[in-house]
Amino acid sequence: MATNDRPARLALGAAVVVLLLGAAGFLVQQRFATGPGGTVTVAGIEADAPAGTRVSLRPAPEPGVAAPLTRRIGGGADLSFDGRPSARVRIPIPAPPPAGFAPVVITGTKLVPAVYDASTRSIVAELTRGGAFWGGLLDFAALGREVVPEPAPRPDCAGRPASSDGVTVGLGEPGSATPISTCVTAGNGRASVTLTSNARVPYRLVLPAGWPEATARTTAASTSAVQLFGRPRQRDLLWPGSGVTYDVPFGRLPAKLTGQAEPGPGLGTALAAAAHHLASLFGLTGAPEPSAGTLTCAAQDTEDRPATVWAALGPCHLDGGDVVRRFLGAGIGPVTRDLATANPAFAATITTSRAQRFTQTVEYRPRTGATTARATGACGSVSAVSGRHDAYRCTSGATTYDPCFAAPGTRVVCPTSATKAVLLTYTGALPAPPQSGGTADPYLLTLDDGLQCAAVADDSGPGTRFACTDDTVLRGEPDPSSPLWTIEGRTVAKAYT
């Protein structure tokens, strides 16, 4: 007997479709999970769970933000736990990490130290937190650029001479490649010598005998690396980016400054800073920088080989502990590459030269338009302080002017200082002048310290005395036997005749 099985077939077909669609949806959404203590694999990435822990994986898209100091390699996945969060993950990579790079697992902005398993050609790491993760390589050279300071720029004043009191302080520098720049200023019989480091490593300076202690120290505040290096943990060293100033009497010059690179403290500081940076990336410290004690300890080493310095940093309590020490131990070469290069010795000669000084003699030229006051009076005699043929002694009321120099008409010009003069209109006639070619004795002196002294007739006897603006009196005539005149031991800068 025939039966109509079409409804049954349709029902069976619908059931199969529903089952397939449901299975497809399940396959799309499911995480590939393990049983307790098993292994799960997705896109070649494995996660091994310990006993009592169930883990699941699903593919993860590329991270939106690049992790610091790393490059991406291998795939990524999203990990979740059911039970104690712990799993060993393996991320296949196409080739072993190149020299100068170390394997890491990138989890958001944090890194997890990893190892390379040559037998499986994969990055292996222990993860204790769920979420997305990816394979990566940490660039030790990039880490070095973070912790080793760039050479500071040469200051504009480097190599320029300075002058004061007739003394020129010059510099003999080996050129723009010198590791230390030298600037000088001069004044009050002293030279201020400032040395600024353009090097990446500290330098130990050798000062000339008799030089005073430094009067100032400065630290360049540019990058964090320069700031770390510039702290005066050892005051007898000139650290990168730092400066030191000495105030030196002219009598201690000329002199030669020298210095030798001392890379050990710089290597120790860079490695301590690198350990702190890694500890921050690994989430092992929240401090913004290494402690002062760690930096002071790290800067004590005098070796110049990175491996020897690294071995000596054990007692310095580096951030990140053994985890960072094991990880960074393979990268100390690239990290310190810029510090381990040859550093030239420093030498600068500070020279002095004295200009030939002389007293300037100024012949007074009477100009009626340059006077600053006016008066009327009479000129009854020739000048008692000047031998010029046009010099007279004049009075206006109770005031006596000497010398006064003849001007056009019935006027004379009577200088009262180096910059002031009285235009005096006289009555009567001028007395007969001295013979032409008479001695033009100075009537006004400007001393080396700027003091002005005017000649006055000495009523107590022959000769001249000079009354100065500070109420002192100098007796006698200036001594012109040397280029720089003197009077009573005082140096004459200008003599007006």
Side-chain angles (χ1 to χ4, degrees):
M1 181 178 65
T3 59
N4 185 4
D5 59 356
R6 186 175 178 213
R9 290 198 304 271
L10 290 175
L12 178 59
V16 170
V17 170
V18 170
L19 179 60
L20 290 175
L21 288 176
F26 176 77
L27 290 173
V28 169
Q29 297 179 10
Q30 86 165 15
R31 292 172 178 265
F32 294 87
T34 72
T39 300
V40 64
T41 302
V42 61
I45 298 175
E46 294 183 357
D48 297 327
T53 298
R54 184 188 300 270
V55 297
S56 59
L57 287 177
R58 66 177 177 185
E62 285 293 310
V65 179
L69 310 181
T70 63
R71 65 169 64 168
R72 277 275 296 108
I73 191 171
D78 194 305
L79 174 68
S80 62
F81 297 97
D82 180 8
R84 182 170 64 89
S86 176
R88 172 173 292 183
V89 298
R90 293 179 178 272
I91 306 172
I93 59 175
F101 290 82
V104 291
V105 170
I106 302 169
T107 61
T109 59
K110 298 296 181 183
L111 305 180
V112 177
V115 296
Y116 175 70
D117 182 2
S119 63
T120 59
R121 300 184 68 179
S122 60
I123 292 174
V124 181
E126 299 287 340
L127 299 185
T128 58
R129 184 175 299 177
F133 66 91
W134 300 267
L137 298 175
L138 185 133
D139 186 347
F140 282 121
L143 176 60
R145 290 190 290 272
E146 290 287 317
V147 299
V148 174
E150 287 294 320
R154 284 168 56 86
D156 293 338
C157 59
R160 294 179 181 173
S163 299
S164 175
D165 302 326
V167 177
T168 298
V169 182
L171 298 170
E173 290 197 85
S176 59
T178 177
I180 297 175
S181 296
T182 308
C183 294
V184 296
T185 59
N188 299 320
R190 307 177 74 85
S192 182
V193 181
T194 299
L195 307 176
T196 303
S197 173
N198 316 118
R200 283 189 165 104
V201 300
Y203 269 71
R204 187 174 297 279
L205 301 177
V206 179
L207 301 180
W211 268 39
E213 291 291 321
T215 56
R217 294 179 183 271
T218 58
T219 300
S222 52
T223 65
S224 58
V226 169
Q227 293 176 36
L228 284 178
F229 269 61
R231 291 176 183 164
R233 292 174 295 280
Q234 290 177 259
R235 295 181 66 83
D236 56 342
L237 295 179
L238 184 62
W239 287 79
S242 297
V244 61
T245 300
Y246 301 92
D247 267 347
V248 186
F250 286 160
R252 294 289 183 184
L253 301 175
K256 185 175 183 179
L257 296 166
T258 60
Q260 292 288 338
E262 196 156 306
L267 289 168
T269 300
L271 291 172
H276 172 82
H277 206 83
L278 281 180
S280 298
L281 293 175
F282 294 160
L284 301 176
T285 181
E289 60 185 40
S291 69
T294 294
L295 289 176
T296 299
C297 174
Q300 299 304 313
D301 208 296
T302 58
E303 292 286 341
D304 58 2
R305 295 189 299 274
T308 305
V309 174
W310 177 244
L313 294 183
C316 294
H317 304 291
L318 300 182
D319 292 311
D322 291 340
V323 173
V324 167
R325 282 193 66 86
R326 286 193 298 269
F327 190 88
L328 184 56
I332 58 175
V335 168
T336 61
R337 180 179 301 137
D338 289 334
L339 296 177
T341 57
N343 296 284
F346 160 71
T349 301
I350 302 177
T351 62
T352 56
S353 60
R354 295 182 180 272
Q356 178 65 45
R357 298 186 62 201
F358 59 90
T359 296
Q360 182 182 2
T361 57
V362 180
E363 182 181 356
Y364 189 78
R365 303 281 185 179
R367 292 181 300 166
T368 58
T371 55
T372 56
R374 294 174 180 271
T376 58
C379 300
S381 64
V382 297
S383 172
V385 297
S386 172
R388 278 175 51 164
H389 72 280
D390 61 344
Y392 300 90
R393 185 180 179 89
C394 306
T395 59
S396 176
T399 304
T400 298
Y401 298 100
D402 189 5
C404 294
F405 297 98
T410 57
R411 296 179 297 181
V412 291
V413 177
C414 310
T416 57
S417 73
T419 57
K420 295 181 179 180
V422 174
L423 180 63
L424 186 145
T425 302
Y426 59 86
T427 58
L430 292 173
Q435 293 183 359
S436 298
T439 302
D441 298 319
Y443 69 88
L444 180 68
L445 305 176
T446 299
L447 303 184
D448 208 29
D449 58 4
L451 194 67
Q452 290 190 5
C453 303
V456 294
D458 194 341
D459 297 332
S460 62
T464 305
R465 57 193 173 93
F466 289 83
C468 302
T469 51
D470 66 348
D471 296 328
T472 60
V473 175
L474 303 176
R475 296 187 179 277
E477 298 288 343
D479 179 6
S481 61
S482 64
L484 203 57
W485 297 5
T486 60
I487 181 170
E488 289 194 2
R490 308 283 293 273
T491 301
V492 179
K494 284 185 179 181
Y496 295 84
T497 61

